[in-house]
Amino acid sequence: MVAAILLPMGAACVAILVRGYAARIALVTALLTAAVSVVTAIAVVRNGPLEYAMGGWRAPLGITLRVDGLSSLMLLLSASVAVPVFVYAAAHYARARSDERQGADFWPLALLLWGGLNGVFLSGDVFNQYVAVELTSLAAVALVTLGEGDAALSAALRYLLSTFAASMFYLLGVGHLYAVAGTLDIPSLAGTLEAEAASYSAAALITVALLFKSALFPLHFWLPRAHSAAPSQVSALLSSLVVTSAAYLFLRLWTTVFVSVAVPVVGQIIGGLGACAIVWGSLQALRQQRLKVMIAYSTVAQMGYLFLVVPLVTSALSTPGGGALWGETAWSGGVYHAIAHALAKAALFLSAGVIVGAIGTDKIVGISGIARQLPVATYAFGIASMSLIGLPPSGGFVAKWMLLTAAFKSGQWWWAIAIAAGGLLTAGYVFLVLGQGLSQASSDRDVELKSTSKAIEYSAFALAVAALALGVRVAEPLALLRVGLPIEMP
Amino acid sequence: MEFLVGHYNYWVVVFLMMLGFYVVISRTHMVKVLVGLSVFQTSVFIFYISLGKIRGGTAPILIDGPAVYSNPLTSVLILTAIVVSIATTALGLALVVRINEAYGTVDEEEIDAIERADEAAVLEAR
């Protein structure tokens, strides 16, 4: 369990020292870390939630790492996104000799990012989570600067300023929590928080900070630039894992620590922001002329779905029997959506990377007829889009179905409108791209593609297939999620 | 009145925080924004450290006999946070240097204008 954090971080240090072998070290580490994640998941299924006391000091004094079903699913997610992305990056840097220096910088940072993410997923202590989130953000900002051109630099600085202003709010909120409860351990905090002024301010500060980091409308302004200016393999990591890790933290804290101060009205407001994010992000995505900016706006829209869980779960918490009726469905649907979106979005960015790398421009009008030349990448784009829209059978469909069911059962039918409208708009913008891609090649474009390799195309394809497979095998992930459910619903 | 004087550390924190945050959102000069962020960070650090202080308490070291000592945990937490903030400030300043080399300015609005012009030129050229 500790290995899931230590392996990538240790490998990152080694990869800085021996830059020539960085790619090989990273690939071996990726496989080992993935194996550790799988072993952890099996252990969680067999023995229930696991705990590890760092340095042998138990909870009130020391820092504990905890794995329940949710953490374990997130570990698996980070591994299943990171491994294909690493394969893609290795193949990309092996071919593009001009990017050799960028490659040497990519590996340590990407490993550090992965270690930080696993730290966020495993920490059982709010301050430790702050440190893990900061590590992730530092690595993420540095990765954005690897992008081509000056725009990547200014995008990275803006990302840095907004993400660290948010971190300070988070840290301040943690300080309030400590002042009120005298502990930083999440399970100990969960029982002790009383409805008083300092608890409310702690909840408000941490909520704002995490909404900022997960780019919920209207705090999303930093995301499209940062995610589109980065190299495609970096965009895939950022858009699928980094924002999801902030949303994970939000859901975890809201359903454990802040249950006693979570007012239904605030839940409705956050859900409303989520609905706005779906509509606004999708409309913006429709208007974009560049492929990667479009996919980045799609992330803004898809993050909105995650926050529809908040009003559904908070209302279930305050209604007797609500948990069994719709609370658990909403909760599982939200987590399932996070996973399905992460896989599909990584697939989209990687296949966009293949296409953009081959034709040398990321204008959507420029990709006409690409399906004939890059069938695998276009197919991957298509399958991932299917999951994003929520067509059956795909992970996105299952997640949206559960969210819709929960919305109707709770009587809050208005969220169903946002979910359905979002699906429709998503279909609009992905079909714009697919329509161009499948059309006849326009005669004015000289069809001179830079060659790509099989590994690059198939790593995107593997991610897309994983998003699809989530729609076929639903029972296993949901069973894992139910192990050590962090919320107790009436 | 006693409420105001008794919690003077919090007033210092609130003042520094608002100052820092105001600089972050109002300035366009990127170095100034980073300085504002630093002030903001420092205010949070002071908040933590003053939280653990007990009047008349000593440092938490072993001495003979019973002693009143301040809570060391908040200071330890902030030690970690200071390390993180040094890293972020260094990264931010390094980025500003690179941006200055690339654009010849560190003013956010001027950079915006240059970027918009670039973007329009790229989209124009089919």
Side-chain angles (χ1 to χ4, degrees):
Chain A
M1 178 160 129
V2 194
I5 303 174
L6 289 185
L7 265 176
M9 291 212 175
C13 299
V14 179
I16 294 175
L17 295 174
V18 280
R19 293 166 75 91
Y21 297 97
R24 265 164 266 179
I25 294 171
L27 285 176
V28 172
T29 315
L31 291 178
L32 285 176
T33 314
V36 168
S37 308
V38 173
V39 170
T40 314
I42 293 171
V44 167
V45 169
R46 288 210 181 129
N47 310 329
L50 303 174
E51 265 190 32
Y52 177 83
M54 302 273 277
W57 295 88
R58 294 236 147 250
L61 281 175
I63 300 166
T64 38
L65 299 183
R66 277 198 190 80
V67 195
D68 52 12
L70 176 60
S71 309
S72 161
L73 260 184
M74 288 291 156
L75 271 189
L76 284 178
L77 173 68
S78 68
S80 44
V81 172
V83 171
V85 169
F86 277 25
V87 170
Y88 173 97
H92 173 76
Y93 289 127
R95 294 184 75 83
R97 290 278 159 216
S98 56
D99 285 352
E100 206 162 359
R101 268 199 59 214
Q102 193 202 76
D105 291 336
F106 170 79
W107 294 113
L109 289 170
L111 286 165
L112 201 61
L113 183 81
W114 192 1
L117 284 168
N118 284 352
V120 175
F121 297 144
L122 293 177
S123 298
D125 167 304
V126 274
F127 190 81
N128 211 26
Q129 281 174 335
Y130 160 76
V131 177
V133 166
E134 291 292 70
L135 266 176
T136 314
S137 310
L138 270 175
V141 169
L143 279 170
V144 172
T145 61
L146 298 180
E148 276 173 40
D150 302 340
L153 293 174
S154 66
L157 188 66
R158 284 193 185 119
Y159 181 24
L160 179 133
L161 290 174
S162 36
T163 192
F164 287 112
S167 294
M168 282 303 112
F169 281 111
Y170 184 81
L171 188 60
L172 198 61
V174 170
H176 280 72
L177 276 185
Y178 184 70
V180 178
T183 177
L184 294 167
D185 187 55
I186 291 179
S188 324
L189 276 171
T192 51
L193 219 57
E194 282 164 27
E196 54 178 312
S199 312
Y200 284 116
S201 57
L205 286 165
I206 290 180
T207 302
V208 168
L210 291 176
L211 294 187
F212 218 110
K213 279 179 179 281
S214 45
L216 180 64
F217 175 90
L219 303 172
H220 65 279
F221 55 87
W222 53 270
L223 185 140
R225 271 190 184 169
H227 286 195
S228 59
S232 296
Q233 57 273 29
V234 174
S235 313
L237 288 174
L238 294 184
S239 229
S240 65
L241 294 178
V242 177
V243 282
T244 309
S245 75
Y248 155 86
L249 213 51
F250 177 85
L251 285 183
R252 168 147 299 224
L253 293 179
W254 257 70
T255 48
T256 53
V257 178
F258 297 134
V259 168
S260 52
V261 291
V263 197
V265 179
V266 181
Q268 292 289 327
I269 293 173
I270 291 175
L273 290 178
C276 290
I278 295 173
V279 175
W280 175 254
S282 305
L283 286 176
Q284 285 294 320
L286 267 173
R287 289 184 52 223
Q288 297 309 315
Q289 291 170 286
R290 285 163 174 276
L291 187 55
K292 284 181 69 181
V293 186
M294 188 207 86
I295 305 176
Y297 268 110
S298 149
T299 303
V300 174
Q302 299 289 321
M303 290 311 284
Y305 283 99
L306 285 181
F307 290 94
L308 294 186
V309 176
V310 179
L312 296 173
V313 170
T314 44
S315 65
L317 285 170
S318 56
T319 318
L325 269 176
W326 72 83
E328 279 173 31
T329 318
W331 166 257
S332 322
V335 176
Y336 218 73
H337 186 270
I339 295 169
H341 165 249
L343 290 169
K345 191 48 62 72
L348 280 187
F349 263 121
L350 289 190
S351 47
V354 176
I355 294 169
V356 172
I359 61 178
T361 166
D362 72 341
K363 277 186 287 185
I364 294 176
V365 286
I367 69 164
S368 54
I370 202 70
R372 192 170 296 164
Q373 285 129 347
L374 293 169
V376 179
T378 315
Y379 194 35
F381 195 97
I383 298 178
S385 311
M386 221 176 98
S387 175
L388 218 55
I389 301 167
L391 294 179
S394 66
F397 166 72
V398 176
K400 279 175 190 162
W401 179 258
M402 286 197 277
L403 284 175
L404 275 175
T405 315
F408 282 122
K409 277 200 179 151
S410 67
Q412 301 175 32
W413 49 269
W414 46 92
W415 304 127
I417 300 174
I419 294 171
L424 211 59
L425 288 167
T426 312
Y429 60 76
V430 296
F431 284 141
L432 272 183
V433 176
L434 286 173
Q436 279 285 349
L438 294 170
S439 68
Q440 292 289 325
S442 50
S443 52
D444 59 328
R445 183 164 64 89
D446 291 323
V447 193
E448 251 182 69
L449 294 180
K450 290 176 203 132
S451 64
T452 62
S453 76
K454 283 230 154 57
I456 291 183
E457 284 196 77
Y458 279 99
S459 54
F461 188 67
L463 277 168
V465 169
L468 198 66
L470 271 181
V472 183
R473 310 237 26 141
V474 187
E476 287 88 351
L478 285 185
L480 180 55
L481 182 62
R482 247 175 244 122
V483 178
L485 202 67
I487 14 171
E488 286 164 25
M489 299 206 209
Chain B
M1 194 60 202
E2 201 179 305
F3 176 78
L4 288 179
V5 179
H7 295 84
Y8 73 94
N9 53 334
Y10 296 131
W11 300 116
V12 173
V13 168
V14 168
F15 175 73
L16 280 178
M17 189 186 305
M18 289 300 115
L19 189 73
F21 193 56
Y22 176 73
V23 172
V24 171
I25 56 179
S26 67
R27 299 292 110 168
T28 54
H29 191 290
M30 285 173 166
V31 177
K32 287 182 184 167
V33 175
L34 276 170
V35 171
L37 194 62
S38 278
V39 173
F40 188 2
Q41 286 174 331
T42 312
S43 78
V44 179
F45 300 162
I46 295 174
F47 170 72
Y48 267 77
I49 293 167
S50 65
L51 205 62
K53 175 68 184 164
I54 292 170
R55 283 224 176 100
T58 64
I61 41 179
L62 282 176
I63 41 175
D64 291 332
V68 178
Y69 59 84
S70 301
N71 185 354
L73 185 77
T74 53
S75 309
V76 174
L77 294 180
I78 288 315
L79 209 55
T80 316
I82 287 174
V83 175
V84 175
S85 89
I86 289 173
T88 57
T89 313
L91 181 62
L93 288 174
L95 271 173
V96 171
V97 171
R98 287 272 303 275
I99 285 174
N100 192 29
E101 283 168 5
Y103 290 89
T105 172
V106 289
D107 191 275
E108 218 170 332
E109 280 170 6
E110 287 172 27
I111 291 170
D112 249 1
I114 295 171
E115 275 180 355
R116 264 199 298 275
D118 286 353
E119 177 78 11
V122 170
L123 289 177
E124 197 72 11
R126 292 259 158 140

Short mmCIF file of all heavy atoms in Angstrom, two decimals, chain B residues 13-57:
data_model
loop_
_atom_site.label_atom_id
_atom_site.label_comp_id
_atom_site.label_asym_id
_atom_site.label_seq_id
_atom_site.Cartn_x
_atom_site.Cartn_y
_atom_site.Cartn_z
N VAL B 13 -3.76 38.32 11.18
CA VAL B 13 -3.90 37.31 10.12
C VAL B 13 -4.89 37.77 9.06
O VAL B 13 -4.62 37.72 7.87
CB VAL B 13 -4.35 35.96 10.74
CG1 VAL B 13 -4.78 34.99 9.66
CG2 VAL B 13 -3.24 35.36 11.58
N VAL B 14 -6.05 38.25 9.52
CA VAL B 14 -7.09 38.66 8.58
C VAL B 14 -6.59 39.81 7.71
O VAL B 14 -6.78 39.81 6.48
CB VAL B 14 -8.37 39.08 9.35
CG1 VAL B 14 -9.35 39.78 8.42
CG2 VAL B 14 -9.01 37.86 9.97
N PHE B 15 -5.89 40.78 8.33
CA PHE B 15 -5.38 41.92 7.57
C PHE B 15 -4.39 41.46 6.50
O PHE B 15 -4.52 41.80 5.31
CB PHE B 15 -4.71 42.93 8.51
CG PHE B 15 -4.06 44.06 7.78
CD1 PHE B 15 -4.83 45.06 7.19
CD2 PHE B 15 -2.69 44.13 7.67
CE1 PHE B 15 -4.24 46.09 6.50
CE2 PHE B 15 -2.08 45.17 6.98
CZ PHE B 15 -2.87 46.15 6.39
N LEU B 16 -3.42 40.63 6.90
CA LEU B 16 -2.41 40.16 5.95
C LEU B 16 -3.06 39.34 4.83
O LEU B 16 -2.71 39.48 3.66
CB LEU B 16 -1.37 39.29 6.66
CG LEU B 16 -0.28 40.01 7.43
CD1 LEU B 16 0.63 39.01 8.10
CD2 LEU B 16 0.53 40.90 6.51
N MET B 17 -4.02 38.52 5.22
CA MET B 17 -4.66 37.67 4.23
C MET B 17 -5.40 38.48 3.18
O MET B 17 -5.25 38.26 1.97
CB MET B 17 -5.64 36.75 4.96
CG MET B 17 -6.23 35.66 4.11
SD MET B 17 -7.46 34.80 5.04
CE MET B 17 -6.52 34.33 6.45
N MET B 18 -6.18 39.48 3.66
CA MET B 18 -6.95 40.29 2.71
C MET B 18 -6.01 41.10 1.82
O MET B 18 -6.24 41.27 0.63
CB MET B 18 -7.90 41.21 3.47
CG MET B 18 -9.04 40.47 4.11
SD MET B 18 -10.02 39.61 2.87
CE MET B 18 -9.75 37.91 3.29
N LEU B 19 -4.92 41.58 2.43
CA LEU B 19 -3.91 42.33 1.67
C LEU B 19 -3.36 41.45 0.54
O LEU B 19 -3.34 41.84 -0.63
CB LEU B 19 -2.79 42.74 2.61
CG LEU B 19 -1.75 43.71 2.07
CD1 LEU B 19 -2.36 45.09 1.98
CD2 LEU B 19 -0.54 43.75 2.99
N GLY B 20 -2.93 40.25 0.93
CA GLY B 20 -2.34 39.34 -0.05
C GLY B 20 -3.34 38.98 -1.13
O GLY B 20 -3.03 39.02 -2.33
N PHE B 21 -4.55 38.65 -0.72
CA PHE B 21 -5.55 38.20 -1.67
C PHE B 21 -5.93 39.34 -2.62
O PHE B 21 -6.12 39.13 -3.82
CB PHE B 21 -6.78 37.69 -0.92
CG PHE B 21 -7.74 36.94 -1.79
CD1 PHE B 21 -7.31 35.84 -2.51
CD2 PHE B 21 -9.06 37.31 -1.89
CE1 PHE B 21 -8.18 35.14 -3.33
CE2 PHE B 21 -9.94 36.63 -2.70
CZ PHE B 21 -9.50 35.54 -3.42
N TYR B 22 -6.00 40.57 -2.06
CA TYR B 22 -6.33 41.72 -2.90
C TYR B 22 -5.27 41.89 -3.98
O TYR B 22 -5.58 42.14 -5.15
CB TYR B 22 -6.44 42.98 -2.05
CG TYR B 22 -6.67 44.22 -2.88
CD1 TYR B 22 -7.91 44.43 -3.47
CD2 TYR B 22 -5.66 45.15 -3.09
CE1 TYR B 22 -8.13 45.54 -4.26
CE2 TYR B 22 -5.87 46.26 -3.88
CZ TYR B 22 -7.11 46.45 -4.46
OH TYR B 22 -7.32 47.54 -5.25
N VAL B 23 -4.00 41.75 -3.59
CA VAL B 23 -2.92 41.90 -4.57
C VAL B 23 -3.04 40.81 -5.64
O VAL B 23 -2.89 41.08 -6.84
CB VAL B 23 -1.55 41.84 -3.87
CG1 VAL B 23 -0.43 41.80 -4.90
CG2 VAL B 23 -1.36 43.03 -2.95
N VAL B 24 -3.36 39.59 -5.21
CA VAL B 24 -3.47 38.49 -6.17
C VAL B 24 -4.53 38.78 -7.22
O VAL B 24 -4.32 38.57 -8.42
CB VAL B 24 -3.78 37.15 -5.46
CG1 VAL B 24 -4.11 36.06 -6.47
CG2 VAL B 24 -2.60 36.72 -4.61
N ILE B 25 -5.69 39.29 -6.79
CA ILE B 25 -6.77 39.44 -7.76
C ILE B 25 -6.75 40.79 -8.47
O ILE B 25 -7.38 40.95 -9.50
CB ILE B 25 -8.17 39.20 -7.13
CG1 ILE B 25 -8.39 40.14 -5.96
CG2 ILE B 25 -8.34 37.77 -6.72
CD1 ILE B 25 -9.74 39.96 -5.31
N SER B 26 -6.02 41.79 -7.94
CA SER B 26 -6.13 43.12 -8.55
C SER B 26 -4.95 43.46 -9.45
O SER B 26 -5.09 44.27 -10.36
CB SER B 26 -6.28 44.19 -7.48
OG SER B 26 -5.07 44.28 -6.75
N ARG B 27 -3.78 42.89 -9.21
CA ARG B 27 -2.60 43.29 -10.00
C ARG B 27 -2.50 42.49 -11.29
O ARG B 27 -2.98 41.35 -11.37
CB ARG B 27 -1.31 43.08 -9.20
CG ARG B 27 -1.23 43.87 -7.92
CD ARG B 27 -1.10 45.33 -8.19
NE ARG B 27 -2.35 45.97 -7.79
CZ ARG B 27 -2.51 47.29 -7.68
NH1 ARG B 27 -1.52 48.11 -7.97
NH2 ARG B 27 -3.66 47.79 -7.31
N THR B 28 -1.83 43.06 -12.29
CA THR B 28 -1.57 42.31 -13.51
C THR B 28 -0.08 42.01 -13.66
O THR B 28 0.30 41.19 -14.49
CB THR B 28 -2.04 43.08 -14.75
OG1 THR B 28 -1.44 44.36 -14.72
CG2 THR B 28 -3.54 43.21 -14.76
N HIS B 29 0.75 42.68 -12.87
CA HIS B 29 2.19 42.42 -12.90
C HIS B 29 2.45 41.10 -12.19
O HIS B 29 2.13 40.95 -11.01
CB HIS B 29 2.92 43.57 -12.20
CG HIS B 29 4.41 43.54 -12.39
ND1 HIS B 29 5.19 42.58 -11.82
CD2 HIS B 29 5.23 44.34 -13.10
CE1 HIS B 29 6.46 42.80 -12.17
NE2 HIS B 29 6.50 43.86 -12.95
N MET B 30 3.01 40.12 -12.90
CA MET B 30 3.02 38.77 -12.36
C MET B 30 3.90 38.60 -11.13
O MET B 30 3.60 37.79 -10.26
CB MET B 30 3.43 37.78 -13.44
CG MET B 30 2.30 37.56 -14.41
SD MET B 30 2.81 36.58 -15.80
CE MET B 30 1.23 36.17 -16.49
N VAL B 31 4.99 39.38 -11.05
CA VAL B 31 5.83 39.29 -9.85
C VAL B 31 5.05 39.79 -8.65
O VAL B 31 5.10 39.19 -7.56
CB VAL B 31 7.13 40.08 -10.04
CG1 VAL B 31 7.96 40.05 -8.77
CG2 VAL B 31 7.93 39.53 -11.19
N LYS B 32 4.29 40.87 -8.85
CA LYS B 32 3.48 41.39 -7.74
C LYS B 32 2.44 40.36 -7.30
O LYS B 32 2.19 40.20 -6.11
CB LYS B 32 2.79 42.69 -8.16
CG LYS B 32 3.74 43.86 -8.25
CD LYS B 32 3.01 45.13 -8.62
CE LYS B 32 4.00 46.26 -8.81
NZ LYS B 32 3.39 47.42 -9.45
N VAL B 33 1.86 39.70 -8.26
CA VAL B 33 0.86 38.69 -7.91
C VAL B 33 1.50 37.59 -7.07
O VAL B 33 0.92 37.14 -6.07
CB VAL B 33 0.22 38.09 -9.19
CG1 VAL B 33 -0.71 36.96 -8.84
CG2 VAL B 33 -0.53 39.15 -9.95
N LEU B 34 2.71 37.18 -7.45
CA LEU B 34 3.40 36.14 -6.68
C LEU B 34 3.71 36.62 -5.27
O LEU B 34 3.59 35.87 -4.30
CB LEU B 34 4.68 35.71 -7.38
CG LEU B 34 4.50 34.66 -8.49
CD1 LEU B 34 5.77 34.49 -9.27
CD2 LEU B 34 4.09 33.33 -7.88
N VAL B 35 4.12 37.90 -5.16
CA VAL B 35 4.39 38.46 -3.83
C VAL B 35 3.11 38.44 -3.00
O VAL B 35 3.12 38.07 -1.82
CB VAL B 35 4.97 39.88 -3.95
CG1 VAL B 35 5.03 40.54 -2.57
CG2 VAL B 35 6.35 39.85 -4.57
N GLY B 36 2.00 38.82 -3.64
CA GLY B 36 0.71 38.80 -2.95
C GLY B 36 0.38 37.41 -2.45
O GLY B 36 -0.05 37.23 -1.30
N LEU B 37 0.63 36.42 -3.30
CA LEU B 37 0.37 35.03 -2.90
C LEU B 37 1.23 34.65 -1.70
O LEU B 37 0.77 33.97 -0.78
CB LEU B 37 0.64 34.10 -4.09
CG LEU B 37 0.11 32.68 -3.97
CD1 LEU B 37 -1.40 32.67 -3.86
CD2 LEU B 37 0.55 31.85 -5.16
N SER B 38 2.48 35.12 -1.71
CA SER B 38 3.38 34.83 -0.58
C SER B 38 2.86 35.43 0.72
O SER B 38 2.91 34.79 1.77
CB SER B 38 4.77 35.38 -0.85
OG SER B 38 5.49 34.52 -1.65
N VAL B 39 2.38 36.68 0.63
CA VAL B 39 1.84 37.33 1.83
C VAL B 39 0.64 36.54 2.33
O VAL B 39 0.49 36.29 3.54
CB VAL B 39 1.45 38.79 1.53
CG1 VAL B 39 0.74 39.41 2.72
CG2 VAL B 39 2.68 39.60 1.15
N PHE B 40 -0.20 36.12 1.40
CA PHE B 40 -1.37 35.31 1.72
C PHE B 40 -0.94 34.03 2.46
O PHE B 40 -1.46 33.69 3.53
CB PHE B 40 -2.08 34.99 0.40
CG PHE B 40 -3.43 34.33 0.53
CD1 PHE B 40 -4.01 34.07 1.75
CD2 PHE B 40 -4.12 33.97 -0.61
CE1 PHE B 40 -5.24 33.47 1.86
CE2 PHE B 40 -5.36 33.35 -0.52
CZ PHE B 40 -5.91 33.10 0.70
N GLN B 41 0.08 33.37 1.89
CA GLN B 41 0.56 32.13 2.50
C GLN B 41 1.07 32.39 3.91
O GLN B 41 0.76 31.65 4.85
CB GLN B 41 1.69 31.53 1.65
CG GLN B 41 1.21 30.89 0.36
CD GLN B 41 2.35 30.43 -0.51
OE1 GLN B 41 3.43 31.00 -0.49
NE2 GLN B 41 2.10 29.41 -1.31
N THR B 42 1.86 33.48 4.06
CA THR B 42 2.42 33.79 5.38
C THR B 42 1.32 34.00 6.41
O THR B 42 1.45 33.59 7.56
CB THR B 42 3.30 35.04 5.28
OG1 THR B 42 4.16 34.89 4.16
CG2 THR B 42 4.12 35.22 6.52
N SER B 43 0.23 34.66 5.98
CA SER B 43 -0.85 34.92 6.93
C SER B 43 -1.43 33.60 7.43
O SER B 43 -1.74 33.46 8.62
CB SER B 43 -1.93 35.78 6.29
OG SER B 43 -2.74 35.00 5.45
N VAL B 44 -1.55 32.62 6.52
CA VAL B 44 -2.08 31.31 6.95
C VAL B 44 -1.11 30.66 7.93
O VAL B 44 -1.52 30.06 8.93
CB VAL B 44 -2.32 30.40 5.72
CG1 VAL B 44 -2.83 29.05 6.17
CG2 VAL B 44 -3.32 31.04 4.79
N PHE B 45 0.20 30.82 7.66
CA PHE B 45 1.19 30.23 8.57
C PHE B 45 1.08 30.85 9.96
O PHE B 45 1.12 30.14 10.97
CB PHE B 45 2.62 30.44 8.04
CG PHE B 45 2.86 29.82 6.69
CD1 PHE B 45 3.94 30.21 5.91
CD2 PHE B 45 2.00 28.85 6.19
CE1 PHE B 45 4.16 29.64 4.67
CE2 PHE B 45 2.20 28.29 4.94
CZ PHE B 45 3.28 28.69 4.18
N ILE B 46 0.94 32.18 10.00
CA ILE B 46 0.84 32.85 11.30
C ILE B 46 -0.42 32.38 12.04
O ILE B 46 -0.41 32.17 13.25
CB ILE B 46 0.82 34.38 11.12
CG1 ILE B 46 2.16 34.84 10.55
CG2 ILE B 46 0.55 35.09 12.45
CD1 ILE B 46 2.19 36.30 10.21
N PHE B 47 -1.49 32.16 11.25
CA PHE B 47 -2.74 31.67 11.85
C PHE B 47 -2.49 30.35 12.58
O PHE B 47 -2.85 30.19 13.75
CB PHE B 47 -3.79 31.50 10.76
CG PHE B 47 -5.03 30.77 11.20
CD1 PHE B 47 -5.94 31.38 12.05
CD2 PHE B 47 -5.27 29.47 10.79
CE1 PHE B 47 -7.07 30.71 12.47
CE2 PHE B 47 -6.40 28.79 11.21
CZ PHE B 47 -7.30 29.42 12.06
N TYR B 48 -1.83 29.43 11.89
CA TYR B 48 -1.55 28.13 12.50
C TYR B 48 -0.69 28.27 13.76
O TYR B 48 -0.97 27.68 14.79
CB TYR B 48 -0.80 27.24 11.51
CG TYR B 48 -1.66 26.34 10.68
CD1 TYR B 48 -2.38 26.83 9.62
CD2 TYR B 48 -1.74 24.99 10.97
CE1 TYR B 48 -3.16 25.99 8.84
CE2 TYR B 48 -2.53 24.14 10.20
CZ TYR B 48 -3.23 24.66 9.14
OH TYR B 48 -4.00 23.83 8.40
N ILE B 49 0.41 29.04 13.62
CA ILE B 49 1.37 29.08 14.73
C ILE B 49 0.75 29.74 15.95
O ILE B 49 0.90 29.27 17.07
CB ILE B 49 2.65 29.81 14.28
CG1 ILE B 49 3.35 28.96 13.21
CG2 ILE B 49 3.58 30.03 15.45
CD1 ILE B 49 4.42 29.68 12.46
N SER B 50 -0.02 30.83 15.71
CA SER B 50 -0.62 31.52 16.88
C SER B 50 -1.72 30.66 17.49
O SER B 50 -2.05 30.79 18.66
CB SER B 50 -1.16 32.89 16.47
OG SER B 50 -2.21 32.74 15.57
N LEU B 51 -2.28 29.73 16.68
CA LEU B 51 -3.29 28.82 17.20
C LEU B 51 -2.71 27.92 18.29
O LEU B 51 -3.37 27.59 19.27
CB LEU B 51 -3.76 27.94 16.02
CG LEU B 51 -5.12 27.30 16.04
CD1 LEU B 51 -6.18 28.35 16.08
CD2 LEU B 51 -5.27 26.46 14.78
N GLY B 52 -1.45 27.52 18.11
CA GLY B 52 -0.86 26.57 19.06
C GLY B 52 -0.24 27.22 20.27
O GLY B 52 0.15 26.55 21.22
N LYS B 53 -0.12 28.55 20.25
CA LYS B 53 0.58 29.24 21.33
C LYS B 53 -0.29 29.31 22.59
O LYS B 53 -1.49 29.61 22.52
CB LYS B 53 0.95 30.66 20.87
CG LYS B 53 1.56 31.55 21.91
CD LYS B 53 2.94 31.09 22.32
CE LYS B 53 3.50 31.97 23.44
NZ LYS B 53 4.65 31.31 24.10
N ILE B 54 0.32 29.04 23.73
CA ILE B 54 -0.37 29.20 25.01
C ILE B 54 0.39 30.26 25.79
O ILE B 54 1.63 30.23 25.85
CB ILE B 54 -0.39 27.87 25.79
CG1 ILE B 54 -1.29 26.87 25.06
CG2 ILE B 54 -0.85 28.07 27.21
CD1 ILE B 54 -1.21 25.48 25.60
N ARG B 55 -0.33 31.22 26.36
CA ARG B 55 0.36 32.31 27.08
C ARG B 55 1.17 31.72 28.22
O ARG B 55 0.67 30.95 29.02
CB ARG B 55 -0.66 33.28 27.66
CG ARG B 55 -1.18 34.16 26.58
CD ARG B 55 -1.29 35.62 26.92
NE ARG B 55 -1.72 36.25 25.67
CZ ARG B 55 -2.99 36.59 25.42
NH1 ARG B 55 -3.90 36.48 26.34
NH2 ARG B 55 -3.31 37.07 24.25
N GLY B 56 2.45 32.09 28.28
CA GLY B 56 3.32 31.61 29.34
C GLY B 56 3.87 30.23 29.08
O GLY B 56 4.64 29.71 29.88
N GLY B 57 3.47 29.61 27.96
CA GLY B 57 3.96 28.27 27.65
C GLY B 57 5.36 28.32 27.09
O GLY B 57 5.76 29.29 26.44
#
